[in-house]
Amino acid sequence: MKFFKHILNESRSEADGIFFQKIQKIVKVKLSSLPIYKQAFTHRSLKVKNEEGRIISYERLEFLGDSILGAVISTYMFENAPQGNEGYLTKMRSKIVSRKNLDLLGQRLNLTDLILSGIPNEKLGKNINGNLFEALIGAIYVDKGFKACETFIYRTVIQEDVDLAQLEKRVMSYKSLMIEWCQKNKFSFEFVTEDDPGRDEEKHFSVKLIINNEISGKARETSKKRAEEKASQRAYFTFQNYIKP
Amino acid sequence: MKFFKHILNESRSEADGIFFQKIQKIVKVKLSSLPIYKQAFTHRSLKVKNEEGRIISYERLEFLGDSILGAVISTYMFENAPQGNEGYLTKMRSKIVSRKNLDLLGQRLNLTDLILSGIPNEKLGKNINGNLFEALIGAIYVDKGFKACETFIYRTVIQEDVDLAQLEKRVMSYKSLMIEWCQKNKFSFEFVTEDDPGRDEEKHFSVKLIINNEISGKARETSKKRAEEKASQRAYFTFQNYIKP
């Protein structure tokens, strides 16, 4: 990979050696190429450019890794839920590869310790862990192929984290859950939203979820979406003995 | 695969032999297992059940194939557009694996000739070709693995169909294109929708796309979405010399 020549030249030897060892420890497979892993941890703020003058970052590898992760998790679901229809398989896959889950997985591997960035880690946004995790999968795929990726994903995602019975119960959206529950039971429901600035400077919204003409949950948040989700979650806890996620 | 024992028993020998030969001709790789390909062409209307009493159909394989197709096309884009950022890669991938494209690919391979269904082909819905195409990819993956799938997808999708320069120009949504164009150029725009039953029994909508206070395209369709798309397309043709998809 020519793009990396200058990073490699700058920081050769010791720093590279440490980086390589750390990645090797995470991936647990003999790696063939250093530059692709460096790319997987390069944030655009570092402003490293390739020969055509375009900024190099982990984002292209994140695109690739996301897709490979999807294929591996689909295979896992297909094999391990022989009775599940495609709706079930899709739903469970999206729980496994949710942003929240990927962020957790990246955090667990301490991926931000390896980042090559021009700005402080705390300014990298809250999804940086998940993004680096996907980029790392992309790098393993480029370096070692599909099988090696599968092994890595089984070890880090599936063995650590996937319990289908538990996942079935995990609620991704309380709003969808409550709407489905109301529709199934023919209950009337309505989300009533109001601007509710209060004494705060930031915009705030109040949402009430009204089921069968009774307020079943309410919440105040800085976005309508978050307020709806929280009001729905509160309604869910009120009725949880009657609702199956 | 135990589920297929009874189909296999019923129809063994000649019919199976012909089916196997036809699939072999499409896939162009020596196949190992017949049942998985039968599943890839079984429509739920045939009401074949597995031992637990659940209906067997191509739908689970379609779920799997969709994901593998995504991974292979992502790899292709990653390798063949080294200058494209992740937004470009995502956009081009979705053009390649669009419903319309997959339906065309399935049609070209005459996949509906192979379907095992309880209802006439013309009642199978317009996406049946694309669905069978994805299910076939799923079956190849289960039978022969990732590499064989990649080879099949390269031959049927990429070599036949993918010209990145052409694809860049393919418009997926004229509505999005026109909105982006207006925003970029700071033009005001508005979609004005009216119920417009006319003399038709079915509900109809008229949509006008007004750009900088001038009607730039109008259309009448049975859904608001289709009318907006058509009005946008007409506006696009008016301004096409100024718009780059």
Side-chain angles (χ1 to χ4, degrees), chain B residues 38-70:
Chain B
K38 279 204 145 174
Q39 187 175 344
F41 287 91
T42 300
H43 190 262
R44 53 170 41 254
S45 60
L46 199 63
K47 298 198 172 133
V48 185
K49 288 183 183 166
N50 68 7
E51 285 168 344
E52 283 86 6
R54 291 222 189 190
I55 283 190
I56 295 169
S57 81
Y58 62 72
E59 293 167 26
R60 283 170 46 89
L61 284 167
E62 182 194 346
F63 161 85
L64 187 61
D66 170 77
S67 214
I68 302 300
L69 178 63

PDB file of all heavy atoms in Angstrom, chain B residues 38-70:
ATOM      1  N   LYS B  38     -33.214 -27.135  -4.054  1.00  0.00           N
ATOM      2  CA  LYS B  38     -34.673 -27.281  -4.116  1.00  0.00           C
ATOM      3  C   LYS B  38     -35.324 -26.269  -3.178  1.00  0.00           C
ATOM      4  O   LYS B  38     -36.303 -25.624  -3.516  1.00  0.00           O
ATOM      5  CB  LYS B  38     -35.065 -28.701  -3.705  1.00  0.00           C
ATOM      6  CG  LYS B  38     -34.914 -29.687  -4.836  1.00  0.00           C
ATOM      7  CD  LYS B  38     -35.836 -30.863  -4.599  1.00  0.00           C
ATOM      8  CE  LYS B  38     -36.366 -31.365  -5.910  1.00  0.00           C
ATOM      9  NZ  LYS B  38     -37.159 -32.593  -5.733  1.00  0.00           N
ATOM     10  N   GLN B  39     -34.730 -26.145  -1.985  1.00  0.00           N
ATOM     11  CA  GLN B  39     -35.282 -25.170  -1.044  1.00  0.00           C
ATOM     12  C   GLN B  39     -35.228 -23.756  -1.631  1.00  0.00           C
ATOM     13  O   GLN B  39     -36.175 -22.975  -1.472  1.00  0.00           O
ATOM     14  CB  GLN B  39     -34.493 -25.232   0.269  1.00  0.00           C
ATOM     15  CG  GLN B  39     -35.110 -24.360   1.350  1.00  0.00           C
ATOM     16  CD  GLN B  39     -34.410 -24.491   2.700  1.00  0.00           C
ATOM     17  OE1 GLN B  39     -33.643 -25.435   2.938  1.00  0.00           O
ATOM     18  NE2 GLN B  39     -34.682 -23.562   3.589  1.00  0.00           N
ATOM     19  N   ALA B  40     -34.153 -23.450  -2.344  1.00  0.00           N
ATOM     20  CA  ALA B  40     -33.990 -22.104  -2.920  1.00  0.00           C
ATOM     21  C   ALA B  40     -35.052 -21.788  -3.966  1.00  0.00           C
ATOM     22  O   ALA B  40     -35.235 -20.632  -4.330  1.00  0.00           O
ATOM     23  CB  ALA B  40     -32.600 -21.957  -3.529  1.00  0.00           C
ATOM     24  N   PHE B  41     -35.728 -22.821  -4.461  1.00  0.00           N
ATOM     25  CA  PHE B  41     -36.764 -22.574  -5.478  1.00  0.00           C
ATOM     26  C   PHE B  41     -38.156 -22.988  -5.002  1.00  0.00           C
ATOM     27  O   PHE B  41     -39.073 -23.079  -5.805  1.00  0.00           O
ATOM     28  CB  PHE B  41     -36.382 -23.299  -6.783  1.00  0.00           C
ATOM     29  CG  PHE B  41     -35.248 -22.614  -7.481  1.00  0.00           C
ATOM     30  CD1 PHE B  41     -33.931 -22.968  -7.235  1.00  0.00           C
ATOM     31  CD2 PHE B  41     -35.499 -21.551  -8.349  1.00  0.00           C
ATOM     32  CE1 PHE B  41     -32.885 -22.298  -7.862  1.00  0.00           C
ATOM     33  CE2 PHE B  41     -34.459 -20.876  -8.978  1.00  0.00           C
ATOM     34  CZ  PHE B  41     -33.144 -21.251  -8.728  1.00  0.00           C
ATOM     35  N   THR B  42     -38.292 -23.231  -3.705  1.00  0.00           N
ATOM     36  CA  THR B  42     -39.600 -23.643  -3.176  1.00  0.00           C
ATOM     37  C   THR B  42     -40.369 -22.436  -2.644  1.00  0.00           C
ATOM     38  O   THR B  42     -39.903 -21.746  -1.733  1.00  0.00           O
ATOM     39  CB  THR B  42     -39.414 -24.678  -2.038  1.00  0.00           C
ATOM     40  OG1 THR B  42     -38.734 -25.815  -2.576  1.00  0.00           O
ATOM     41  CG2 THR B  42     -40.749 -25.107  -1.479  1.00  0.00           C
ATOM     42  N   HIS B  43     -41.522 -22.193  -3.216  1.00  0.00           N
ATOM     43  CA  HIS B  43     -42.369 -21.090  -2.755  1.00  0.00           C
ATOM     44  C   HIS B  43     -43.250 -21.592  -1.614  1.00  0.00           C
ATOM     45  O   HIS B  43     -43.645 -22.755  -1.600  1.00  0.00           O
ATOM     46  CB  HIS B  43     -43.232 -20.606  -3.932  1.00  0.00           C
ATOM     47  CG  HIS B  43     -43.967 -19.334  -3.624  1.00  0.00           C
ATOM     48  ND1 HIS B  43     -45.279 -19.307  -3.220  1.00  0.00           N
ATOM     49  CD2 HIS B  43     -43.556 -18.044  -3.647  1.00  0.00           C
ATOM     50  CE1 HIS B  43     -45.653 -18.053  -3.019  1.00  0.00           C
ATOM     51  NE2 HIS B  43     -44.625 -17.258  -3.275  1.00  0.00           N
ATOM     52  N   ARG B  44     -43.549 -20.685  -0.683  1.00  0.00           N
ATOM     53  CA  ARG B  44     -44.319 -21.124   0.494  1.00  0.00           C
ATOM     54  C   ARG B  44     -45.700 -21.690   0.136  1.00  0.00           C
ATOM     55  O   ARG B  44     -46.259 -22.506   0.881  1.00  0.00           O
ATOM     56  CB  ARG B  44     -44.448 -20.014   1.537  1.00  0.00           C
ATOM     57  CG  ARG B  44     -45.004 -18.691   0.991  1.00  0.00           C
ATOM     58  CD  ARG B  44     -45.348 -17.713   2.127  1.00  0.00           C
ATOM     59  NE  ARG B  44     -44.383 -17.692   3.197  1.00  0.00           N
ATOM     60  CZ  ARG B  44     -44.593 -18.243   4.409  1.00  0.00           C
ATOM     61  NH1 ARG B  44     -45.727 -18.853   4.682  1.00  0.00           N
ATOM     62  NH2 ARG B  44     -43.662 -18.162   5.326  1.00  0.00           N
ATOM     63  N   SER B  45     -46.215 -21.309  -1.035  1.00  0.00           N
ATOM     64  CA  SER B  45     -47.542 -21.795  -1.447  1.00  0.00           C
ATOM     65  C   SER B  45     -47.557 -23.313  -1.689  1.00  0.00           C
ATOM     66  O   SER B  45     -48.615 -23.924  -1.751  1.00  0.00           O
ATOM     67  CB  SER B  45     -47.978 -21.078  -2.719  1.00  0.00           C
ATOM     68  OG  SER B  45     -47.043 -21.341  -3.756  1.00  0.00           O
ATOM     69  N   LEU B  46     -46.374 -23.912  -1.816  1.00  0.00           N
ATOM     70  CA  LEU B  46     -46.319 -25.361  -2.020  1.00  0.00           C
ATOM     71  C   LEU B  46     -46.639 -26.106  -0.718  1.00  0.00           C
ATOM     72  O   LEU B  46     -46.996 -27.278  -0.717  1.00  0.00           O
ATOM     73  CB  LEU B  46     -44.914 -25.761  -2.523  1.00  0.00           C
ATOM     74  CG  LEU B  46     -44.794 -27.128  -3.201  1.00  0.00           C
ATOM     75  CD1 LEU B  46     -45.638 -27.168  -4.470  1.00  0.00           C
ATOM     76  CD2 LEU B  46     -43.340 -27.437  -3.552  1.00  0.00           C
ATOM     77  N   LYS B  47     -46.526 -25.358   0.387  1.00  0.00           N
ATOM     78  CA  LYS B  47     -46.861 -25.884   1.726  1.00  0.00           C
ATOM     79  C   LYS B  47     -46.089 -27.145   2.116  1.00  0.00           C
ATOM     80  O   LYS B  47     -46.631 -28.027   2.771  1.00  0.00           O
ATOM     81  CB  LYS B  47     -48.363 -26.078   1.857  1.00  0.00           C
ATOM     82  CG  LYS B  47     -49.098 -24.756   1.716  1.00  0.00           C
ATOM     83  CD  LYS B  47     -50.501 -24.781   2.238  1.00  0.00           C
ATOM     84  CE  LYS B  47     -51.075 -23.367   2.229  1.00  0.00           C
ATOM     85  NZ  LYS B  47     -52.400 -23.264   1.658  1.00  0.00           N
ATOM     86  N   VAL B  48     -44.823 -27.193   1.725  1.00  0.00           N
ATOM     87  CA  VAL B  48     -43.949 -28.264   2.204  1.00  0.00           C
ATOM     88  C   VAL B  48     -43.574 -27.937   3.642  1.00  0.00           C
ATOM     89  O   VAL B  48     -43.208 -26.801   3.940  1.00  0.00           O
ATOM     90  CB  VAL B  48     -42.636 -28.319   1.388  1.00  0.00           C
ATOM     91  CG1 VAL B  48     -41.793 -29.512   1.830  1.00  0.00           C
ATOM     92  CG2 VAL B  48     -42.937 -28.390  -0.085  1.00  0.00           C
ATOM     93  N   LYS B  49     -43.678 -28.926   4.525  1.00  0.00           N
ATOM     94  CA  LYS B  49     -43.348 -28.648   5.931  1.00  0.00           C
ATOM     95  C   LYS B  49     -42.145 -29.451   6.400  1.00  0.00           C
ATOM     96  O   LYS B  49     -41.905 -30.549   5.911  1.00  0.00           O
ATOM     97  CB  LYS B  49     -44.548 -28.959   6.810  1.00  0.00           C
ATOM     98  CG  LYS B  49     -45.643 -27.933   6.626  1.00  0.00           C
ATOM     99  CD  LYS B  49     -46.820 -28.179   7.541  1.00  0.00           C
ATOM    100  CE  LYS B  49     -47.894 -27.123   7.218  1.00  0.00           C
ATOM    101  NZ  LYS B  49     -49.171 -27.464   7.790  1.00  0.00           N
ATOM    102  N   ASN B  50     -41.422 -28.911   7.351  1.00  0.00           N
ATOM    103  CA  ASN B  50     -40.336 -29.680   7.950  1.00  0.00           C
ATOM    104  C   ASN B  50     -40.884 -30.526   9.103  1.00  0.00           C
ATOM    105  O   ASN B  50     -42.097 -30.514   9.370  1.00  0.00           O
ATOM    106  CB  ASN B  50     -39.180 -28.759   8.379  1.00  0.00           C
ATOM    107  CG  ASN B  50     -39.549 -27.852   9.536  1.00  0.00           C
ATOM    108  OD1 ASN B  50     -40.621 -27.964  10.122  1.00  0.00           O
ATOM    109  ND2 ASN B  50     -38.663 -26.941   9.874  1.00  0.00           N
ATOM    110  N   GLU B  51     -39.986 -31.208   9.792  1.00  0.00           N
ATOM    111  CA  GLU B  51     -40.465 -32.134  10.824  1.00  0.00           C
ATOM    112  C   GLU B  51     -41.192 -31.448  11.966  1.00  0.00           C
ATOM    113  O   GLU B  51     -42.049 -32.041  12.601  1.00  0.00           O
ATOM    114  CB  GLU B  51     -39.267 -32.937  11.368  1.00  0.00           C
ATOM    115  CG  GLU B  51     -38.827 -33.990  10.371  1.00  0.00           C
ATOM    116  CD  GLU B  51     -37.490 -34.594  10.724  1.00  0.00           C
ATOM    117  OE1 GLU B  51     -36.764 -34.003  11.551  1.00  0.00           O
ATOM    118  OE2 GLU B  51     -37.167 -35.651  10.163  1.00  0.00           O
ATOM    119  N   GLU B  52     -40.842 -30.203  12.230  1.00  0.00           N
ATOM    120  CA  GLU B  52     -41.523 -29.462  13.298  1.00  0.00           C
ATOM    121  C   GLU B  52     -42.820 -28.804  12.799  1.00  0.00           C
ATOM    122  O   GLU B  52     -43.460 -28.056  13.521  1.00  0.00           O
ATOM    123  CB  GLU B  52     -40.613 -28.381  13.893  1.00  0.00           C
ATOM    124  CG  GLU B  52     -39.567 -28.923  14.848  1.00  0.00           C
ATOM    125  CD  GLU B  52     -38.315 -29.385  14.116  1.00  0.00           C
ATOM    126  OE1 GLU B  52     -38.231 -29.178  12.886  1.00  0.00           O
ATOM    127  OE2 GLU B  52     -37.431 -29.957  14.767  1.00  0.00           O
ATOM    128  N   GLY B  53     -43.178 -29.049  11.554  1.00  0.00           N
ATOM    129  CA  GLY B  53     -44.444 -28.523  11.044  1.00  0.00           C
ATOM    130  C   GLY B  53     -44.353 -27.117  10.471  1.00  0.00           C
ATOM    131  O   GLY B  53     -45.368 -26.504  10.150  1.00  0.00           O
ATOM    132  N   ARG B  54     -43.140 -26.570  10.346  1.00  0.00           N
ATOM    133  CA  ARG B  54     -43.022 -25.221   9.761  1.00  0.00           C
ATOM    134  C   ARG B  54     -42.862 -25.307   8.255  1.00  0.00           C
ATOM    135  O   ARG B  54     -42.180 -26.186   7.744  1.00  0.00           O
ATOM    136  CB  ARG B  54     -41.789 -24.503  10.315  1.00  0.00           C
ATOM    137  CG  ARG B  54     -41.960 -24.171  11.756  1.00  0.00           C
ATOM    138  CD  ARG B  54     -41.449 -22.783  12.026  1.00  0.00           C
ATOM    139  NE  ARG B  54     -41.438 -22.572  13.456  1.00  0.00           N
ATOM    140  CZ  ARG B  54     -41.222 -21.408  14.024  1.00  0.00           C
ATOM    141  NH1 ARG B  54     -40.984 -20.350  13.276  1.00  0.00           N
ATOM    142  NH2 ARG B  54     -41.215 -21.285  15.326  1.00  0.00           N
ATOM    143  N   ILE B  55     -43.462 -24.338   7.575  1.00  0.00           N
ATOM    144  CA  ILE B  55     -43.391 -24.316   6.115  1.00  0.00           C
ATOM    145  C   ILE B  55     -41.967 -24.005   5.641  1.00  0.00           C
ATOM    146  O   ILE B  55     -41.308 -23.106   6.164  1.00  0.00           O
ATOM    147  CB  ILE B  55     -44.396 -23.287   5.556  1.00  0.00           C
ATOM    148  CG1 ILE B  55     -45.808 -23.903   5.636  1.00  0.00           C
ATOM    149  CG2 ILE B  55     -44.051 -22.879   4.123  1.00  0.00           C
ATOM    150  CD1 ILE B  55     -46.872 -23.129   4.923  1.00  0.00           C
ATOM    151  N   ILE B  56     -41.510 -24.773   4.672  1.00  0.00           N
ATOM    152  CA  ILE B  56     -40.189 -24.555   4.081  1.00  0.00           C
ATOM    153  C   ILE B  56     -40.356 -23.706   2.835  1.00  0.00           C
ATOM    154  O   ILE B  56     -41.234 -23.974   2.005  1.00  0.00           O
ATOM    155  CB  ILE B  56     -39.572 -25.899   3.656  1.00  0.00           C
ATOM    156  CG1 ILE B  56     -39.327 -26.762   4.889  1.00  0.00           C
ATOM    157  CG2 ILE B  56     -38.275 -25.689   2.886  1.00  0.00           C
ATOM    158  CD1 ILE B  56     -38.967 -28.175   4.535  1.00  0.00           C
ATOM    159  N   SER B  57     -39.522 -22.691   2.680  1.00  0.00           N
ATOM    160  CA  SER B  57     -39.555 -21.906   1.441  1.00  0.00           C
ATOM    161  C   SER B  57     -38.182 -21.285   1.226  1.00  0.00           C
ATOM    162  O   SER B  57     -37.289 -21.435   2.070  1.00  0.00           O
ATOM    163  CB  SER B  57     -40.602 -20.804   1.528  1.00  0.00           C
ATOM    164  OG  SER B  57     -40.080 -19.708   2.248  1.00  0.00           O
ATOM    165  N   TYR B  58     -38.063 -20.569   0.112  1.00  0.00           N
ATOM    166  CA  TYR B  58     -36.769 -19.953  -0.206  1.00  0.00           C
ATOM    167  C   TYR B  58     -36.444 -18.766   0.686  1.00  0.00           C
ATOM    168  O   TYR B  58     -35.349 -18.209   0.605  1.00  0.00           O
ATOM    169  CB  TYR B  58     -36.736 -19.511  -1.675  1.00  0.00           C
ATOM    170  CG  TYR B  58     -37.763 -18.470  -2.040  1.00  0.00           C
ATOM    171  CD1 TYR B  58     -37.640 -17.149  -1.614  1.00  0.00           C
ATOM    172  CD2 TYR B  58     -38.873 -18.798  -2.809  1.00  0.00           C
ATOM    173  CE1 TYR B  58     -38.581 -16.199  -1.940  1.00  0.00           C
ATOM    174  CE2 TYR B  58     -39.815 -17.849  -3.145  1.00  0.00           C
ATOM    175  CZ  TYR B  58     -39.676 -16.552  -2.704  1.00  0.00           C
ATOM    176  OH  TYR B  58     -40.613 -15.618  -3.024  1.00  0.00           O
ATOM    177  N   GLU B  59     -37.357 -18.358   1.545  1.00  0.00           N
ATOM    178  CA  GLU B  59     -37.191 -17.062   2.209  1.00  0.00           C
ATOM    179  C   GLU B  59     -35.978 -16.974   3.134  1.00  0.00           C
ATOM    180  O   GLU B  59     -35.325 -15.939   3.200  1.00  0.00           O
ATOM    181  CB  GLU B  59     -38.477 -16.683   2.938  1.00  0.00           C
ATOM    182  CG  GLU B  59     -39.607 -16.421   1.953  1.00  0.00           C
ATOM    183  CD  GLU B  59     -40.984 -16.343   2.597  1.00  0.00           C
ATOM    184  OE1 GLU B  59     -41.065 -16.006   3.783  1.00  0.00           O
ATOM    185  OE2 GLU B  59     -41.970 -16.637   1.895  1.00  0.00           O
ATOM    186  N   ARG B  60     -35.680 -18.037   3.844  1.00  0.00           N
ATOM    187  CA  ARG B  60     -34.492 -18.015   4.713  1.00  0.00           C
ATOM    188  C   ARG B  60     -33.199 -17.932   3.882  1.00  0.00           C
ATOM    189  O   ARG B  60     -32.260 -17.232   4.245  1.00  0.00           O
ATOM    190  CB  ARG B  60     -34.450 -19.270   5.598  1.00  0.00           C
ATOM    191  CG  ARG B  60     -35.400 -19.242   6.796  1.00  0.00           C
ATOM    192  CD  ARG B  60     -35.487 -20.610   7.469  1.00  0.00           C
ATOM    193  NE  ARG B  60     -34.193 -21.217   7.663  1.00  0.00           N
ATOM    194  CZ  ARG B  60     -33.415 -21.047   8.741  1.00  0.00           C
ATOM    195  NH1 ARG B  60     -33.822 -20.281   9.734  1.00  0.00           N
ATOM    196  NH2 ARG B  60     -32.246 -21.628   8.819  1.00  0.00           N
ATOM    197  N   LEU B  61     -33.189 -18.637   2.768  1.00  0.00           N
ATOM    198  CA  LEU B  61     -32.004 -18.575   1.898  1.00  0.00           C
ATOM    199  C   LEU B  61     -31.878 -17.215   1.225  1.00  0.00           C
ATOM    200  O   LEU B  61     -30.773 -16.749   0.943  1.00  0.00           O
ATOM    201  CB  LEU B  61     -32.052 -19.686   0.843  1.00  0.00           C
ATOM    202  CG  LEU B  61     -31.710 -21.079   1.367  1.00  0.00           C
ATOM    203  CD1 LEU B  61     -32.086 -22.140   0.338  1.00  0.00           C
ATOM    204  CD2 LEU B  61     -30.217 -21.184   1.704  1.00  0.00           C
ATOM    205  N   GLU B  62     -33.021 -16.588   0.970  1.00  0.00           N
ATOM    206  CA  GLU B  62     -33.002 -15.236   0.399  1.00  0.00           C
ATOM    207  C   GLU B  62     -32.350 -14.266   1.394  1.00  0.00           C
ATOM    208  O   GLU B  62     -31.528 -13.428   1.013  1.00  0.00           O
ATOM    209  CB  GLU B  62     -34.446 -14.812   0.103  1.00  0.00           C
ATOM    210  CG  GLU B  62     -34.585 -13.456  -0.537  1.00  0.00           C
ATOM    211  CD  GLU B  62     -36.030 -12.965  -0.489  1.00  0.00           C
ATOM    212  OE1 GLU B  62     -36.955 -13.772  -0.208  1.00  0.00           O
ATOM    213  OE2 GLU B  62     -36.237 -11.760  -0.719  1.00  0.00           O
ATOM    214  N   PHE B  63     -32.701 -14.403   2.679  1.00  0.00           N
ATOM    215  CA  PHE B  63     -32.084 -13.594   3.745  1.00  0.00           C
ATOM    216  C   PHE B  63     -30.555 -13.762   3.728  1.00  0.00           C
ATOM    217  O   PHE B  63     -29.799 -12.795   3.749  1.00  0.00           O
ATOM    218  CB  PHE B  63     -32.666 -14.029   5.098  1.00  0.00           C
ATOM    219  CG  PHE B  63     -31.843 -13.649   6.306  1.00  0.00           C
ATOM    220  CD1 PHE B  63     -31.973 -12.396   6.891  1.00  0.00           C
ATOM    221  CD2 PHE B  63     -30.932 -14.549   6.872  1.00  0.00           C
ATOM    222  CE1 PHE B  63     -31.209 -12.047   8.007  1.00  0.00           C
ATOM    223  CE2 PHE B  63     -30.171 -14.210   7.980  1.00  0.00           C
ATOM    224  CZ  PHE B  63     -30.313 -12.949   8.550  1.00  0.00           C
ATOM    225  N   LEU B  64     -30.129 -15.015   3.650  1.00  0.00           N
ATOM    226  CA  LEU B  64     -28.696 -15.311   3.666  1.00  0.00           C
ATOM    227  C   LEU B  64     -28.016 -14.788   2.393  1.00  0.00           C
ATOM    228  O   LEU B  64     -26.975 -14.126   2.452  1.00  0.00           O
ATOM    229  CB  LEU B  64     -28.508 -16.832   3.787  1.00  0.00           C
ATOM    230  CG  LEU B  64     -27.096 -17.350   3.983  1.00  0.00           C
ATOM    231  CD1 LEU B  64     -26.490 -16.798   5.272  1.00  0.00           C
ATOM    232  CD2 LEU B  64     -27.095 -18.886   4.035  1.00  0.00           C
ATOM    233  N   GLY B  65     -28.620 -15.052   1.252  1.00  0.00           N
ATOM    234  CA  GLY B  65     -28.038 -14.660  -0.033  1.00  0.00           C
ATOM    235  C   GLY B  65     -27.898 -13.145  -0.152  1.00  0.00           C
ATOM    236  O   GLY B  65     -26.898 -12.637  -0.663  1.00  0.00           O
ATOM    237  N   ASP B  66     -28.897 -12.428   0.344  1.00  0.00           N
ATOM    238  CA  ASP B  66     -28.879 -10.969   0.311  1.00  0.00           C
ATOM    239  C   ASP B  66     -27.623 -10.446   1.018  1.00  0.00           C
ATOM    240  O   ASP B  66     -26.946  -9.527   0.543  1.00  0.00           O
ATOM    241  CB  ASP B  66     -30.141 -10.466   1.013  1.00  0.00           C
ATOM    242  CG  ASP B  66     -30.143  -8.979   1.258  1.00  0.00           C
ATOM    243  OD1 ASP B  66     -30.378  -8.250   0.295  1.00  0.00           O
ATOM    244  OD2 ASP B  66     -29.892  -8.555   2.405  1.00  0.00           O
ATOM    245  N   SER B  67     -27.309 -11.060   2.152  1.00  0.00           N
ATOM    246  CA  SER B  67     -26.192 -10.629   2.960  1.00  0.00           C
ATOM    247  C   SER B  67     -24.848 -10.958   2.289  1.00  0.00           C
ATOM    248  O   SER B  67     -23.912 -10.150   2.317  1.00  0.00           O
ATOM    249  CB  SER B  67     -26.306 -11.402   4.271  1.00  0.00           C
ATOM    250  OG  SER B  67     -25.876 -10.659   5.320  1.00  0.00           O
ATOM    251  N   ILE B  68     -24.775 -12.130   1.684  1.00  0.00           N
ATOM    252  CA  ILE B  68     -23.539 -12.536   1.008  1.00  0.00           C
ATOM    253  C   ILE B  68     -23.327 -11.661  -0.236  1.00  0.00           C
ATOM    254  O   ILE B  68     -22.222 -11.202  -0.508  1.00  0.00           O
ATOM    255  CB  ILE B  68     -23.618 -14.034   0.595  1.00  0.00           C
ATOM    256  CG1 ILE B  68     -23.863 -14.924   1.819  1.00  0.00           C
ATOM    257  CG2 ILE B  68     -22.345 -14.467  -0.147  1.00  0.00           C
ATOM    258  CD1 ILE B  68     -22.802 -14.843   2.889  1.00  0.00           C
ATOM    259  N   LEU B  69     -24.413 -11.414  -0.946  1.00  0.00           N
ATOM    260  CA  LEU B  69     -24.329 -10.527  -2.113  1.00  0.00           C
ATOM    261  C   LEU B  69     -23.799  -9.159  -1.691  1.00  0.00           C
ATOM    262  O   LEU B  69     -22.911  -8.590  -2.341  1.00  0.00           O
ATOM    263  CB  LEU B  69     -25.715 -10.402  -2.754  1.00  0.00           C
ATOM    264  CG  LEU B  69     -25.846  -9.481  -3.960  1.00  0.00           C
ATOM    265  CD1 LEU B  69     -24.986  -9.969  -5.122  1.00  0.00           C
ATOM    266  CD2 LEU B  69     -27.308  -9.347  -4.412  1.00  0.00           C
ATOM    267  N   GLY B  70     -24.321  -8.643  -0.575  1.00  0.00           N
ATOM    268  CA  GLY B  70     -23.866  -7.346  -0.061  1.00  0.00           C
ATOM    269  C   GLY B  70     -22.370  -7.358   0.204  1.00  0.00           C
ATOM    270  O   GLY B  70     -21.648  -6.420  -0.159  1.00  0.00           O
TER     271      GLY B  70
END
